Structure formats: C-alpha cells, structure tokens
Amino acid sequence: MSDKNRLTTTAGAPVPSNNTSATAGERGPVLLQDYQLVEKLAHQNRERIPERVVHAKGWGAQGTFRVTHDITQYTCADIFSKVGNECEILSRWSTVAGELGAADAERDVRGFSLKFYTNEGNWDVVGNNTPIFFVRDAFKFPDFIRTQKRHPKTNLRSPEAMFDFWAAQPESVHQVTILMSDRGIPVNPMHMHGYGSHTYSMWNKDGVRHWVKFHFRCQQPIQNYTNAEAEKLIGSTRESYQEDLYNAIEDGNFPRWELNIQVMPEAEAETCGFNPFDLTKVWPHGDYPLIPVGMLEFDRNPENYFQMVENAAFSPSNKVPGIGYSPDKMLQARVFSYADAHRYRLGTHYEALPANAPKAAAGLNHYHKDGTMRFFTNDFGNPDAYYEPNQYGGPVADPSVAEPPLRINGDADRYVQQESDADYVQPRKLYAEVLNDAERDRLHKNMAAAFGPCSRSVKDRWLAVLEKVHPDYAAGVRAADAASDSDVNAIPVSDETPTEAAE
Ligand code: NDP
Ligand code: HEM
C-alpha cells in the first residue's frame, strides 16, 4: 500500500484496522489497549462545538471585493486607497433565533456578516438584512434574545414572550414591521439587501471624520416567500438556503452586492433633527443618498463548511485604520461581546483559525503568548522580544494609525432613551408610503398569524403600539386576527395576572 493512501494515527503511525475492535476472544470483551477505538470514540465526543448563542444556523461563501469608486475624501483605509483595489472576502448569512438544525425558510431577521481580508488586517461588518434593530440599549439585548428562544418549561418558542417584550419596548415596532412584512422570509440569502445597520465612522488622511452607514445592495432581484410558500417548502426541505446558495455558486451564478455608504459630516450629528446613533432609526435616503463604493462577488463554496463557516469569528471589533465606531450604545457593547463569545465558542487563539487569520495583512506581530490552541510560533521570529518595551527590536505601536479624537461631552449617567413620537415616524413612513396595499394586507395577516396564540392582554398592548404608528395598521391587524383561526394551536400561557410593569 502506498504511504499516501495509508490510514494513520494522529501521531502518524500506520493503523491495522478501522473497523474491528480488538477483543479477548471472538465474543469480546474489548481490550483497553485498543487505543484507536478509544481515540475514535473520544474524538467523536468532541466533534461539536457550542453553537452561536444567536445566529446559530448559517450559510457561507467566499469571494472578492473590488473598489469601483473613489471615497478617499472620507477614509484613509488602504483597501479604499485606489479604484480597482481588491481583497478576498468571506460571508456568513444566518437566521437569528433558530438553533443549528433550524429550517432555513423561517420568518426571522437574517444576519449578514462580512470579513474583508485587507492588507491592513481584517475588517468585519457584522450586520443584518434590515437597516435597524429591535432595541437600542445593550442591556435589553439578552432579554430580547431570551424571548426569541425557548420557554423554560414548555421548551417551545413563545409568541407570548415575544409580543409581551415588544409591547413594552415600542421602539421595536419599526423592526417588527419589517420582520412581519414580505421581507421577513427572503427566498434565500442571495435575494436580500445587507446593512451594517449601526452608524460607523470613517476618517480621511487629514483626520476629518464622517459618520457612515454601510448598505450592501443586492444585485439579484429582491424575492421573498409568503408564509404559505415557506410552510410548503419547509415540508419538503429544511435546507433550502444551503441548497440554493451552494448550487448557484457551483453552477457559476455568483451572487453580487454593491457596497454603498451614506455619509454625514461629523458636526451634523448635533443638528440633523434626529439621533443618528439610534439603532432603531434609518437615515432617510432623501437626506443622505447612497454613494456607490464597490462590488462584492461570491464565487467559491468553502472546501470545508466547519473550517470556514462554523469556525468563522466575525466581530465589530475587527476594524482597520480609517474606519471607526460611533457613540451608538449598542455598537459599543457589541465591540466587547463578540470576541468574548469567540474565546468561549472557539478557544483562546480563534484568530489563528483559517477562516479568521488575517491572510492578507502585511505583517502579524502581537505579544499574546502561549495558551491552548497555540499551534503556531509564539515569538514571530524574535524570541527575546516577548515583553514590551524591549531593547531587541520587538514590534511597537504605530501612532500614525491612531484615530482622530472623538468629540464627546456630557456627564456620565444612565440616560433612558424614552419612547417618543419620533419612534413612530419611520415605521409610519414604511407602512403608509413605502408598502403598497397588497404588501400592507400581507403584513396585517403575517402579524396576526404571529401573535395569534398570545393572550388578550398582550394583543391589546401590542395593538396600542400599532395604533400609534397608524390607525389603519392596528385596524388591519385586528381584523386579520379576528378573521383567522390562528389561536386554535395556541400555546398555553400562564394564568397569572400580568404584573403592573407588563401592563
Ligand atoms: P425610500 O423610499 O428612499 O426608501 C425605502 C426603502 O425601503 C428602500 O430601501 C426599499 O428597498 C425599502 N423597503 C421596501 N419594502 C421594504 C420592507 N418591506 N421592509 C424593509 N424595507 C423595505 O425612503 P426613506 O429612505 O425615506 O425611508 C423610508 C422608510 O423605508 C424608512 O422609514 C424605513 O422604514 C424604510 N427603509 C429605509 C432605509 C434607509 O436606509 N433609508 C433602508 C430600508 C428601509 P428597495 O430599494 O429594495 O425597494
Ligand atoms: C452573532 C451578541 C446585536 C448581528 C452574535 C453573537 C453574539 C452576539 C454573542 C455570537 C457570536 C459568535 O459566537 O460568533 C450581540 C449583542 C448585541 C448584538 C450583545 C447587542 C448589544 C446585533 C445587531 C446585529 C447583530 C444589532 C446586526 C446589526 C449579528 C450577526 C451574528 C451575530 C450577523 C452572526 C455572526 C456570524 O455570522 O458568525 N451576536 N449581538 N447583532 N450578531 Fe449579534
């Protein structure tokens, strides 16, 4: 047998059998010294890693980003320094609430994560297919996610919990409207837009900062499933997104998105009439038009899904000089949360895994040493320079890449972002001006189907929120609820009287 084809142990020794256990006599028992059997079983027990706490179900692809327009007036990031610049990209699209084995075509927000492997290191945009989010303070994120996951007693998803929470957080109505609209079930990841959602910033070579929103405009038509279509599809396949995406790329139909930015001069944040750092609000296109920047094309399926997609670690903390954060409270929390999740989910040196290694970076020099997963050299070729400062020419920080000072003022305190009329303006515009009659009708029915199993008190509280968006919205959902038999399969809710806080 050739060495090339010969099965070996992980230590490289040839293996005599991979099918038959070594036993004492023909009928057993098994010998403990059959180390390869022990090894095989032990490895199987370690094949799963924790699924992502959110966005567990996902689909990925690799490709190239190419700069098509000059935005050097806004950013000094090297990737944008010249029209025609290119870099490799990795994307992972996902649903939020479902577990790793969830059906693909479920009504949910879709995650839209991107890793740009640039010369200056990895730049990640970890966004969604919606330009906004349900809440605007990170304190509320774990509670929000809890309402999307399973009830502790029934172990079922709980519409009661979802709408109870949303009714108490009326700023969520903008995102819930998008979720319950046609765009709540894209036919697959290739037919939806992507958004960075948060406000980020860019600074140019003169240190001038602009606030920026990222938009990934889908170059394929926007296509969605109705509830009925999705239910039928899930009955025949739960993996429709993986199938569609994988097959499209294998067939040479490469999905593309155009990167656009909206730009706001730094000082205008004080005068623009709304809080541009509120994640529940968009910047109107009329005031802040889309500026084209470049094209993303995905032309490769990962050779190994686990290695490139399950092991991928996207984080808003991965940014490059010329691109920065904003005061958005949610973004600030996310900058902490993702790397923390990666250390838990993937391990100490998760950045060295093939999906995450900064493969295009001009250099990789840091002082993190040792620890589990340290399967690469720990001295970057200079063993004496293992602390800093040192006299041995070890890596030193480069002040020229420092971000210009971020102007902030005010007293440190807990500032409640109170519900206000402004929370209803944008959902009202979406409902009354962007959607047409047929889309509004489906929105009413989708919402009624989703909250059908809820208690009367939750329904009434949620309808009161819709009323503030538009009376027709509340009336439409109320009528659709009355006409539907969606509470036939109602999940029992607690008999306890709702607390005052929930009323
Ligand atoms: P525009 O008329 O310029 O933009 C409307 C936007 O809404 C378009 O991007 C359109 O996407 C998108 N859209 C259409 N149907 C839906 C849907 N069911 N769910 C989510 N988005 C949808 O107006 P404005 O910029 O003034 O925004 C008006 C409202 O549109 C906002 O209040 C917000 O609710 C929504 N919106 C705004 C976005 C923004 O960044 N300004 C982005 C997305 C939504 P398409 O171009 O594919 O038709
Ligand atoms: C995944 C936290 C808000 C988009 C995750 C993960 C965590 C997390 C811990 C799992 C990461 C991993 O294991 O790799 C948070 C917190 C938030 C928040 C604390 C608010 C304070 C948001 C928002 C968006 C978003 C506002 C979109 C605009 C995503 C996406 C993923 C994800 C797309 C999947 C990443 C991937 O594909 O690997 N989030 N999140 N999250 N989150 Fe958030």
Side-chain angles (χ1 to χ4, degrees):
M1 185 182 284
S2 77
D3 282 355
K4 187 167 169 280
N5 210 22
R6 194 159 63 170
L7 184 70
T8 68
T9 65
T10 48
V15 170
S17 171
N18 191 32
N19 289 301
T20 309
S21 313
T23 53
E26 192 175 350
R27 295 191 170 187
V30 171
L31 302 181
L32 183 59
Q33 71 173 29
D34 191 351
Y35 179 70
Q36 275 314 111
L37 172 65
V38 174
E39 176 87 348
K40 192 169 180 175
L41 295 174
H43 264 273
Q44 184 187 29
N45 289 348
R46 288 158 181 79
E47 278 180 10
R48 304 285 169 266
I49 59 173
E51 66 176 36
R52 290 166 174 81
V53 64
V54 282
H55 295 262
K57 182 73 187 283
W59 321 275
Q62 291 165 271
T64 306
F65 170 63
R66 185 163 193 274
V67 177
T68 53
H69 292 73
D70 180 21
I71 56 163
T72 50
Q73 61 180 305
Y74 303 120
T75 180
C76 58
D78 182 70
I79 180 65
F80 298 116
S81 62
K82 206 159 55 76
V83 170
N85 276 1
E86 289 188 353
C87 71
E88 257 192 70
I89 48 176
L90 168 70
S91 187
R92 181 176 179 274
W93 302 277
S94 51
T95 44
V96 179
E99 295 91 357
L100 203 50
D104 293 348
E106 288 183 349
R107 183 171 294 283
D108 200 348
V109 170
R110 264 62 181 171
F112 200 110
S113 303
L114 289 161
K115 196 177 282 294
F116 297 77
Y117 299 96
T118 87
N119 292 342
E120 291 178 312
N122 293 349
W123 170 44
D124 294 357
V125 181
V126 198
N128 280 335
N129 69 334
T130 61
I132 48 160
F133 198 67
F134 297 92
V135 293
R136 54 192 169 203
D137 190 313
F139 249 116
K140 296 180 180 178
F141 182 78
D143 296 284
F144 162 63
I145 290 301
R146 202 154 294 151
T147 70
Q148 299 296 302
K149 295 282 187 178
R150 292 170 187 275
H151 185 281
K153 184 170 181 186
T154 64
N155 197 33
L156 296 168
R157 302 282 301 280
S158 169
E160 177 82 356
M162 297 177 203
F163 282 93
D164 178 32
F165 181 84
W166 287 331
Q169 310 293 153
E171 71 269 26
S172 66
V173 72
H174 197 185
Q175 177 80 321
V176 178
T177 301
I178 295 178
L179 174 62
M180 296 298 164
S181 78
D182 289 348
R183 296 196 186 191
I185 319 181
V187 296
N188 61 42
M190 298 176 287
H191 294 277
M192 61 189 199
H193 300 309
Y195 301 89
S197 307
H198 294 279
T199 297
Y200 290 86
S201 60
M202 282 184 163
W203 72 88
N204 65 17
K205 63 176 177 17
D206 301 321
V208 176
R209 186 194 299 273
H210 286 80
W211 307 116
V212 172
K213 293 264 196 198
F214 297 113
H215 296 244
F216 301 93
R217 299 285 300 174
C218 189
Q219 302 299 291
Q220 299 69 242
I222 298 299
Q223 287 174 4
N224 307 293
Y225 286 130
T226 62
N227 276 358
E229 288 166 340
E231 278 167 26
K232 190 160 171 244
L233 178 68
I234 291 171
S236 66
T237 173
R238 297 169 60 78
E239 315 293 340
S240 54
Y241 280 32
Q242 183 67 28
E243 291 164 7
D244 290 354
L245 179 67
Y246 184 86
N247 290 333
I249 292 177
E250 290 300 298
D251 292 346
N253 299 322
F254 304 140
R256 304 194 323 153
W257 282 263
E258 184 180 64
L259 169 58
N260 284 256
I261 52 174
Q262 287 177 297
V263 172
M264 181 188 292
E266 184 173 17
E268 204 168 301
E270 303 302 322
T271 57
C272 73
F274 63 98
N275 176 2
F277 310 120
D278 175 350
L279 183 56
T280 63
K281 310 278 186 298
V282 298
W283 294 1
H285 291 124
D287 299 334
Y288 299 96
L290 295 181
I291 300 169
V293 177
M295 192 64 76
L296 299 90
E297 181 174 271
F298 294 90
D299 60 358
R300 269 182 300 145
N301 281 308
E303 281 303 315
N304 186 294
Y305 178 90
F306 184 85
Q307 185 189 43
M308 290 308 288
V309 184
E310 196 58 17
N311 267 352
F314 298 93
S315 173
S317 56
N318 287 338
K319 64 184 185 69
V320 292
I323 298 175
Y325 311 127
S326 78
D328 180 332
K329 297 166 200 263
M330 289 279 285
L331 178 59
Q332 292 286 322
R334 293 182 71 205
V335 168
F336 151 74
S337 181
Y338 287 67
D340 180 56
H342 299 148
R343 283 185 283 267
Y344 163 70
R345 183 169 69 81
L346 300 169
T348 311
H349 291 291
Y350 67 91
E351 307 101 320
L353 293 167
N356 308 321
K359 57 179 88 170
L364 182 62
N365 291 306
H366 57 74
Y367 285 97
H368 296 325
K369 297 284 176 228
D370 306 346
T372 54
M373 296 170 77
R374 193 73 204 210
F375 50 82
F376 52 103
T377 177
N378 77 352
D379 60 24
F380 296 97
N382 191 353
D384 293 324
Y386 60 98
Y387 55 89
E388 213 242 324
N390 62 67
Q391 62 173 348
Y392 303 105
V396 288
D398 175 2
S400 74
V401 300
E403 184 168 351
L406 183 65
R407 285 179 204 92
I408 292 174
N409 53 38
D411 300 332
D413 204 345
R414 295 180 192 278
Y415 295 91
V416 181
Q417 291 178 292
Q418 298 284 10
E419 174 212 2
S420 78
D421 290 346
D423 292 330
Y424 304 104
V425 171
Q426 294 191 352
R428 187 175 302 130
K429 187 163 186 200
L430 177 63
Y431 178 82
E433 295 173 38
V434 177
L435 302 186
N436 62 31
D437 284 345
E439 289 169 335
R440 269 191 293 272
D441 186 50
R442 284 192 293 274
L443 167 66
H444 297 153
K445 289 180 174 139
N446 293 338
M447 182 95 65
F451 90 167
C454 295
S455 63
R456 191 67 256 164
S457 68
V458 162
K459 284 187 185 181
D460 287 344
R461 284 168 49 225
W462 182 246
L463 287 166
V465 173
L466 300 187
E467 188 79 35
K468 291 188 189 174
V469 177
H470 201 290
D472 293 353
Y473 194 1
V477 174
R478 191 178 287 110
D481 183 42
S484 87
D485 58 358
S486 58
D487 57 353
V488 169
N489 297 319
I491 296 157
V493 295
S494 165
D495 293 334
E496 285 167 27
T497 315
T499 61
E500 254 178 49
E503 277 168 348

